[in-house]
Amino acid sequence: MTAPEPAPYVGRFAPSPTGPLHFGSLVAATASYLQARTRRGQWLLRVEDIDPPREQAGATDAILNALDRYGFEWDTEIIFQSSRHERHLEALESLIERHLAYPCGCSRKDLVDAPRGPLGIIYPGTCRDGCDAKETAIRLRTTNAPITFADKLQGPQTQCLESESGDFVIRRRDRLIAYHLAVVVDDAIDEVTEIVRGIDLMDSTPRQIWLQRLLGCRTPDYLHIPVITHPNGDKLSKLTGAKAVPMQGVSRALCAALVALQQNPPPTLPHCGLSDIWQWAMENWQIQAMQGQTAVSTDSAGLAAVGPGIW
Ligand code: GLU
């Protein structure tokens, strides 16, 4: 008997249009792109536009223009998560019908005294056996069976969801589908085989694996890369004032992303054109260079030398 063929590699970059592409997201895009290309895989671009209150006008165009300017090439039409609404609802309904999810009328105020852990509020299960509120969120039931996965960079990870997060929201009280549910449904539809993203999302992964199990979806491989931080340790983000990646001098900024990814590009590379930089990056890509690393500060020696003005 011959072993079944492994599924062809499919990777993705899935930005939320809450602001322009900043250096931290350029680094994540670069890692997922190089990982897909060096495995002769597909690389998909999915705009996660299902949270209008958090979106910023013009952000989608700004992100797409920047990715194009930096020479990223995606393999299918751009996917807009909002176009999948029916599929998200179907998944939600199936969980509710099987009593795996339930309405919850608790407001933030109702939960002020709830215990807190590293993942935030640990939902105490108030509405598990019913609630008569009109406006409700929908929560997914959890158990304490440990959820484990082996991150390809960060090693083995385990969470017991019931005691670490409690039952969690999969549809918000404002009726918007929550990130965890949407991302699981979409990665399954897109047949993503490996997820490369920032380590700030690593502690979301067990909740997503739990959803995959309940929905009968395959669990992809996971690889969480270090986050880029300001010198004070805060993650680069819109909230911490990270600016848009430059649209001029893109060679230097792309090389800075490679430095952040511990790829050790030669000092002459920032003076080359984009296609030479991508070629070098693909020929030399070593994801393991980041093994176990969780954060890279913009004032670390390598980045400070190549990056002034980029973040
Ligand atoms: N849309 C999420 C973000 O921009 C990323 C989702 C993911 O990679 O799973 O933070």
Side-chain angles (χ1 to χ4, degrees):
M1 246 178 44
T2 49
E5 289 273 313
Y9 187 103
V10 180
R12 49 68 158 183
F13 178 55
S16 302
T18 51
L21 195 78
H22 57 72
F23 183 68
S25 26
L26 174 68
V27 169
T30 304
S32 69
Y33 187 62
L34 287 171
Q35 186 69 358
R37 286 289 175 260
T38 53
R39 267 137 201 85
R40 301 185 185 283
Q42 282 203 311
W43 189 69
L44 310 181
L45 179 55
R46 188 171 73 223
V47 177
E48 301 211 312
D49 58 343
I50 55 160
D51 192 351
R54 284 186 59 225
E55 279 161 29
Q56 191 186 79
T60 296
D61 284 347
I63 292 170
L64 299 181
N65 288 338
L67 291 172
D68 187 50
R69 180 80 185 85
Y70 278 78
F72 290 90
E73 292 173 356
W74 41 95
D75 286 303
T76 64
E77 304 254 298
I78 297 166
I79 300 156
F80 288 90
Q81 193 163 47
S82 53
S83 71
R84 302 260 172 84
H85 186 59
E86 291 304 316
R87 301 291 294 271
H88 301 156
L89 285 183
E90 262 169 44
L92 180 72
E93 293 304 329
S94 109
L95 294 165
I96 296 172
E97 268 165 29
R98 289 181 285 147
H99 305 289
L100 298 169
Y102 60 87
C104 165
C106 294
S107 64
R108 218 166 272 204
K109 219 164 93 202
D110 295 330
L111 294 173
V112 278
D113 295 328
R116 292 189 145 264
L119 305 179
I121 283 177
I122 302 168
Y123 183 66
T126 322
C127 296
R128 259 192 169 184
D129 300 319
C131 98
D132 46 22
K134 273 208 190 68
E135 303 274 295
T136 62
I138 305 286
R139 285 185 188 269
L140 188 70
R141 285 181 202 278
T142 54
T143 73
N144 261 336
I147 307 251
T148 57
F149 69 101
D151 188 86
K152 284 182 154 178
L153 273 185
Q154 310 298 338
Q157 311 292 323
T158 301
Q159 267 177 22
C160 295
L161 293 180
E162 191 174 0
S163 52
E164 292 185 61
S165 71
D167 298 349
F168 59 90
V169 171
I170 53 174
R171 196 212 68 196
R172 293 174 3 192
R173 197 208 262 269
D174 60 8
R175 305 193 79 78
L176 293 175
I177 296 291
Y179 157 65
H180 294 304
L181 179 59
V183 83
V184 164
V185 170
D186 286 13
D187 284 330
I189 297 173
D190 296 329
E191 298 182 21
V192 170
T193 58
E194 184 175 80
I195 293 179
V196 179
R197 60 185 178 189
I199 200 170
D200 50 317
L201 290 169
M202 190 159 76
D203 61 17
S204 298
T205 303
R207 279 170 281 181
Q208 295 171 12
I209 292 176
W210 180 234
L211 267 165
Q212 288 156 3
R213 291 185 187 164
L214 299 179
L215 292 169
C217 307
R218 182 184 169 281
T219 293
D221 291 337
Y222 286 97
L223 207 154
H224 288 93
I225 62 163
V227 281
I228 310 300
T229 67
H230 297 284
N232 68 359
D234 289 344
K235 179 193 157 200
L236 248 61
S237 74
K238 194 178 93 174
L239 289 179
T240 61
K243 52 188 194 183
V245 288
M247 296 296 265
Q248 300 299 324
V250 292
S251 289
R252 192 164 63 85
L254 182 57
C255 286
L258 295 173
V259 171
L261 292 165
Q262 313 300 310
Q263 299 302 298
N264 209 4
T268 49
L269 203 64
H271 307 294
C272 296
L274 280 179
S275 60
D276 287 339
I277 298 174
W278 280 121
Q279 189 182 342
W280 182 90
M282 287 181 207
E283 284 170 6
N284 293 279
W285 178 236
Q286 286 273 8
I287 192 101
Q288 297 309 330
M290 288 177 277
Q291 189 88 48
Q293 188 163 17
T294 56
V296 176
S297 168
T298 53
D299 71 349
S300 62
L303 271 193
V306 71
I310 293 174
W311 33 82

